[in-house]
Structures are given as structure tokens and as C-alpha cells.
Amino acid sequence: MDTRAKVCIDRILPRELRRLQPTEPVRGGRTRAINPIGKSWMNGTTLHVRFMGGTAAEQSTAREQAGWWQQVANLKFDFNNASDAEIRVTFDPNDGAWSYVGTDCRDIPLNQATMNLGFLDGGTAAHEFGHAIGLAHEHQSPFGGIQWNEQVVIAEAAKSPNFWDEETTRHNILRKYSVDQVKGTAFDPDSIMLYFFPASWTLNGIGTKANDVLSGLDKEFIAGAKMYPKTGATIPDAIQLKVNARLRTQASIGQMGEEDLYKFTAVADGRYVIDTQGPTDVVMKLFGPGSATALIAEDDDSGISANARIAVNLIAGEYYVQVRHYNRESGMGNYSVKVRKM
Ligand SMILES: [Zn+2]
């Protein structure tokens, strides 16, 4: 067995680093320590995949292991090789295995890969597709039980096959995601999102094993309310909002983690305002035109008190609005939503 750790690099966009900074109070509102990272795709999304290289066998492995997620999550993969596919995969053996995380893939130019499968040992493709649908590394879980021997890890990762400097090693292995950044719960030693690390890399002599299949908790989490529940609202269920309707549309976040979906048709180019009102602290995202994966804007409390408000110039077309509670863990309550053309 090759005891060198083949470590996956989850790519974090530069702007992400800025987003992790504490935010200033908004218009006299409450101070929020950290913005949660909303990287998951809209529930029920079909993600298109384009292979930029790879043998038939390599592509087949990637398709099969992506399918493990599709079996349990309310997501579909369409391997249509479209030029505007959300997930674009290279198979460069000299570039390791890595992926951008979830909706970050949208920010990568279409002629560039969002994932590289430089090796396909075990469940590597499933692991990388896990990133592509918004999962982080299990070994960086703040709930994790790994007691790193930092000096050994830094020295080992500086050798073949990784050749990482200290900062890269700190980013990829040692630095833990803060509790506010992740949606997971307990550390899962069987997760596909965990990599093999030798016992000598830890202070207590307890290493980790590579996992080649989705664990029970992986399946439960990805199909759960916080990610892609099959029972949740999906794109075809989106409620139609009439632009400039006389009455506001009344709604509620009736259960934890619920996401409400709306769509509206902009019949003419112009400036549109979408806002919520009511006592419930919601986050609103606007997607389109004609796409449920192309994010235009996101807001949590530009509206009155903790309400959301997006004012944006749109071309004619169909748009999707997603509303969820700011606090996915426990938030519920009533709100109303309205779209106006100015
Ligand atoms: Zn990874």
C-alpha cells in the first residue's frame, strides 16, 4: 500500500477569504460575527457535466461515482458535455485531485475546469463530486477528532507527491473550518469526504482511513433538510409571483431548513425590486434569466429590519427567487414577498 497521503485540495476562491471576516453592523442592525457560506445548489437542480479529456474508462468511473450522490440527494447530473456545463472535469495526472466547492463553480471561466481527477483511486471521484455539490473536507471539521502533529504534517506534505509549503499545508489540512462555516454535525470517520492520513501525522497515534464509499452519515446529511431533501420544494414546484401584484404573497418557513421557491416573469427589461416583509429573518437569492443555477444577487437584511431586499436591473426573462431563514438550524416564521417593476 502506498502510505503517502494523496491529499485533495478543495479550491477556495479569493473572495471567500474576504467573506470570512467579521461583518460590520448593517444600518443599525445587529452585528453578525460571520456570514455563513451558502455553497449548496438549489434543491432539485440538474447539474451539467462536461469532460475536458479523460479516457472512456476514466469518464465512466466519474459518472458512476457522481451517481452515488444522485441516488440519495435531490440533484441530478446530466453528462451532456455542454460548453456552459456547471461542472467541468479534467483528468490531468500532474495536477492531483481537487474541486471547487458547490456554487463557487459558477465563478470559474467556462473554458477552465472546476474539477481535476488526476487519480481515481477508490472513491476519489465521489469525494470530488461531493465538493462540487457543496461539501467540505471531513478532516477539517471543527467537530473533528484528529489531533494533528503539525510539524510532522508540514514536513511530510513538503515531500513527494504534494511538495506543499507550510501555508498550503495549513490551508489544505490543518486549518479547521469554523463552526459557523459548516453545516455538518459530528465528525464522521467513515465519510467519503475524509482522506487517509498516517498515524504518525497525529499526536495520539490515531490516523484516519480512506473511505471508498459514501457513509451512512454522508447519505443522511446530503439528503437532509440542510442540503438536498427529496421532499423539499424543487424547481418545478416554484410558486409563480405576479409582478406588481396588488397584494403581497404571504408565506412561512414552516420547518427547519425549509427553502421556499418562487418564480416570476420579467416581461420587459428594467429595474425590479424583490423584497420580503414580516418578523422573520430571511435570506433571499435571485437566479436567472431562465436558469436556476445562475445567481444574480443574494441579500439578507437590506430590507426593513431583518428583511431581505434585492433591487436589480433585469433583462426580460424568467427568474427564480429562493427564500430561507437566516438561521437554518432553528429558524421558522411568517413573511411576505413581492416583486415590483420600478
Ligand atoms: Zn477534497
Side-chain angles (χ1 to χ4, degrees):
M1 178 180 180
D2 184 355
T3 55
R4 294 173 306 178
K6 285 178 173 167
V7 179
C8 164
I9 314 159
D10 57 338
R11 300 260 162 127
I12 305 288
L13 296 179
R15 76 179 159 78
E16 190 106 314
L17 301 174
R18 295 198 298 274
R19 288 181 65 180
L20 301 184
Q21 303 308 310
T23 55
E24 296 297 315
V26 180
R27 290 187 194 170
R30 295 153 293 168
T31 302
R32 282 177 175 150
I34 284 176
N35 268 331
I37 297 179
K39 290 178 190 294
S40 49
W41 301 92
M42 199 181 286
N43 192 30
T45 296
T46 295
L47 294 168
H48 305 89
V49 184
R50 175 182 168 202
F51 291 125
M52 302 168 79
T55 64
E58 287 170 333
Q59 294 182 4
S60 170
T61 300
R63 270 194 299 270
E64 180 197 332
Q65 295 191 10
W68 298 351
W69 294 113
Q70 184 171 309
Q71 280 173 20
V72 285
N74 190 13
L75 282 178
K76 284 197 172 63
F77 294 107
D78 180 0
F79 295 86
N80 67 349
N81 289 317
S83 57
D84 62 349
E86 290 87 0
I87 299 171
R88 301 178 298 279
V89 185
T90 47
F91 295 84
D92 180 352
N94 300 313
D95 196 21
W98 53 261
S99 175
Y100 286 96
V101 177
T103 49
D104 279 356
C105 296
R106 279 189 309 239
D107 295 342
I108 309 307
L110 289 174
N111 62 353
Q112 294 175 22
T114 65
M115 178 188 298
N116 186 59
L117 297 173
F119 52 89
L120 281 162
D121 313 27
T124 301
H127 175 105
E128 301 307 336
F129 273 89
H131 286 313
I133 61 176
L135 296 180
H137 274 146
E138 190 68 24
H139 65 256
Q140 289 170 317
S141 165
F143 313 99
I146 303 176
Q147 296 175 34
W148 299 114
N149 184 327
E150 297 201 356
Q151 290 318 308
V152 171
V153 174
I154 289 164
E156 290 298 318
K159 299 176 189 169
S160 172
N162 297 308
F163 303 110
W164 287 342
D165 61 24
E166 178 174 338
E167 180 49 34
T168 306
T169 300
R170 287 194 179 280
H171 173 264
N172 289 338
I173 302 178
L174 300 176
R175 195 172 294 149
K176 291 190 159 105
Y177 288 75
S178 75
V179 177
D180 285 346
Q181 282 174 265
V182 298
K183 301 179 204 160
T185 49
F187 178 75
D188 175 12
D190 295 322
S191 173
I192 192 79
M193 300 313 291
L194 189 64
Y195 260 101
F196 161 73
F197 295 111
S200 62
W201 286 27
T202 65
L203 293 171
N204 56 359
I206 299 172
T208 59
K209 61 188 172 65
N211 298 302
D212 293 343
V213 295
L214 306 192
S215 71
L217 282 176
D218 286 337
K219 293 178 185 174
E220 197 176 298
F221 181 66
I222 206 70
K226 294 172 197 164
M227 295 301 283
Y228 307 107
K230 298 213 175 190
T231 53
T234 62
I235 293 154
D237 304 326
I239 296 161
Q240 186 82 40
L241 296 177
K242 191 162 174 268
V243 176
N244 293 333
R246 197 170 56 84
L247 297 174
R248 302 183 62 84
T249 297
Q250 303 294 323
S252 73
I253 304 293
Q255 49 182 313
M256 286 182 286
E258 183 175 303
E259 289 178 350
D260 293 346
L261 275 183
Y262 304 92
K263 61 183 173 187
F264 68 90
T265 304
V267 293
D269 297 2
R271 189 158 185 82
Y272 290 79
V273 175
I274 308 107
D275 73 342
T276 66
Q277 287 182 13
T280 306
D281 188 356
V282 297
V283 177
M284 183 165 66
K285 292 183 180 182
L286 175 66
F287 301 83
S291 167
T293 58
L295 180 71
I296 297 169
E298 175 174 6
D299 185 68
D300 63 3
D301 47 19
S302 297
I304 299 161
S305 102
N307 281 282
R309 181 177 186 274
I310 291 172
V312 66
N313 292 320
L314 300 176
I315 59 168
E318 184 158 82
Y319 293 86
Y320 292 89
V321 178
Q322 182 192 55
V323 177
R324 67 167 174 83
H325 202 281
Y326 178 79
N327 182 354
R328 278 178 183 253
E329 303 298 321
S330 60
M332 290 186 274
N334 298 323
Y335 69 94
S336 67
V337 61
K338 181 166 175 155
V339 186
R340 281 168 294 155
K341 183 173 186 301
M342 305 311 284

